[in-house]
Amino acid sequence: MKAYLFLSALAWLLMANVVANAQSAVDYATLRIRDPFILADKKTKTYYVAVNNNPSFRLYSSKDLKNWKDEGNCFRADADFWGKKDFWAPDLIEYKGKYYIWATFSGTDGKRGTSILVADKPTGPYKPLVNQSTTPADWMALDGTLYIDKKNKPWMLYCHEWLQVGDGKIVAQQLSDDLKKTVGEPKVLFTASEGPWVGPINKENGYITDAPFIYKAKNGEMLMLWSSFSKNGKYAIGVARSASGNHLGPWTQDELPLNDDDGGHAMIFKDFDGNLKISYHAPNSKAERAVIYSLKDERGRLSIIK
């Protein structure tokens, strides 16, 4: 009888655990995420994505890229944190054994910039690496992310926002090895209007740059994904190519965008089976969803497989 009761209790606990896990699992396609940046963490064999939960970031984890677990807040701003609003585009990146969130904030003066947060593990808690923007304090800047050059030096790629300069710019800024300081002056790589497919955002002819992300193609070409609005008014992903093979360019632009589903702010990663993936949000509206698709790379020519 005791053995029966024990097995019954064990079965009930196992069933309760299954139900609890099922209830905590969230289908990725239902997640309202703008600017999804997937970290495929090799140490834990787990995928992570951080989500705007102003004034904080919430973290989700997954083992299969389909079912995601809510890990709770991984960063909540203290009262003295310089960033007071926006909390946009958290890029979750591993660098030299630590984990970083690169995200966009606005201060009390309305100036937008990218700040870097740091943690010892992907789930956090994250703290400001330096309590100020890494992008220039007097610029409207956003969408900063990490790039490591051929000399193993870290750089921040980011956008000088169209609201301040009219024709949005993609900019590169070298950083110190500990990511706490800038090294030298920012270097403009290209402007939004250089994209043949790009159209103005308004009657004043503002041109947007969003979300620079460098990808080394299978044929050795250096490509950069970036987003703007096409001439038909849809948000889209552009592809730029470095003629020199160096991140400082010069950069040439593909004639057409990579997608036509009114989606953008993309990044590329490999899953744990080695398959190439692209993640972005679509459509660019109040009904946007995070999407993950397979990505084909044929001699540097990319195509999304839905």
Side-chain angles (χ1 to χ4, degrees), residues 228-299:
S228 188
F229 285 88
S230 63
K231 291 177 179 177
N232 65 9
K234 287 185 176 181
Y235 197 46
I237 304 161
V239 179
R241 300 172 187 272
S242 173
S244 66
N246 185 286
H247 67 290
L248 297 180
W251 292 89
T252 60
Q253 305 292 331
D254 280 9
E255 190 72 23
L256 298 173
L258 185 59
N259 62 322
D260 63 358
D261 56 0
D262 192 31
H265 202 112
M267 58 85 64
I268 296 172
F269 68 101
K270 284 185 179 180
D271 68 16
F272 294 127
D273 293 321
N275 302 307
L276 200 62
K277 300 287 185 179
I278 186 170
S279 178
Y280 60 95
H281 71 257
N284 189 54
S285 68
K286 293 182 180 180
E288 78 277 351
R289 293 289 184 271
V291 297
I292 297 176
Y293 296 123
S294 294
L295 189 67
K296 197 172 188 179
D297 176 353
E298 291 186 308
R299 297 182 295 279

Side-chain angles (χ1 to χ4, degrees), residues 103-269:
T104 300
F105 306 92
S106 287
T108 54
D109 59 358
K111 289 291 193 299
R112 237 188 310 273
T114 289
S115 202
I116 304 172
L117 315 174
V118 63
D120 292 325
K121 55 185 181 179
T123 52
Y126 288 82
K127 298 293 181 184
L129 183 64
V130 179
N131 192 14
Q132 64 184 47
S133 64
T134 303
T135 50
D138 59 342
W139 284 20
M140 293 286 284
L142 71 164
D143 291 352
T145 195
L146 176 66
Y147 172 71
I148 307 298
D149 70 12
K150 293 177 180 179
K151 296 180 180 179
N152 209 33
K153 296 297 183 182
W155 290 73
M156 175 183 280
L157 301 174
Y158 65 93
C159 302
H160 195 174
E161 196 170 11
W162 71 280
L163 288 170
Q164 188 175 52
V165 295
D167 194 359
K169 301 174 182 180
I170 300 291
V171 181
Q173 172 67 67
Q174 188 176 347
L175 302 179
S176 59
D177 286 345
D178 62 5
L179 309 180
K180 291 182 178 181
K181 298 177 181 178
T182 58
V183 177
E185 296 299 316
K187 302 177 185 300
V188 176
L189 305 185
F190 58 85
T191 63
S193 64
E194 292 178 43
W197 56 274
V198 175
I201 187 64
N202 58 24
K203 294 180 181 178
E204 285 73 39
N205 290 324
Y207 295 87
I208 284 179
T209 48
D210 280 346
F213 181 89
I214 285 179
Y215 164 70
K216 191 71 172 289
K218 291 180 180 178
N219 67 349
E221 274 191 284
M222 179 177 285
L223 310 183
M224 184 190 294
L225 302 188
W226 63 287
S227 293
S228 188
F229 285 88
S230 63
K231 291 177 179 177
N232 65 9
K234 287 185 176 181
Y235 197 46
I237 304 161
V239 179
R241 300 172 187 272
S242 173
S244 66
N246 185 286
H247 67 290
L248 297 180
W251 292 89
T252 60
Q253 305 292 331
D254 280 9
E255 190 72 23
L256 298 173
L258 185 59
N259 62 322
D260 63 358
D261 56 0
D262 192 31
H265 202 112
M267 58 85 64
I268 296 172
F269 68 101

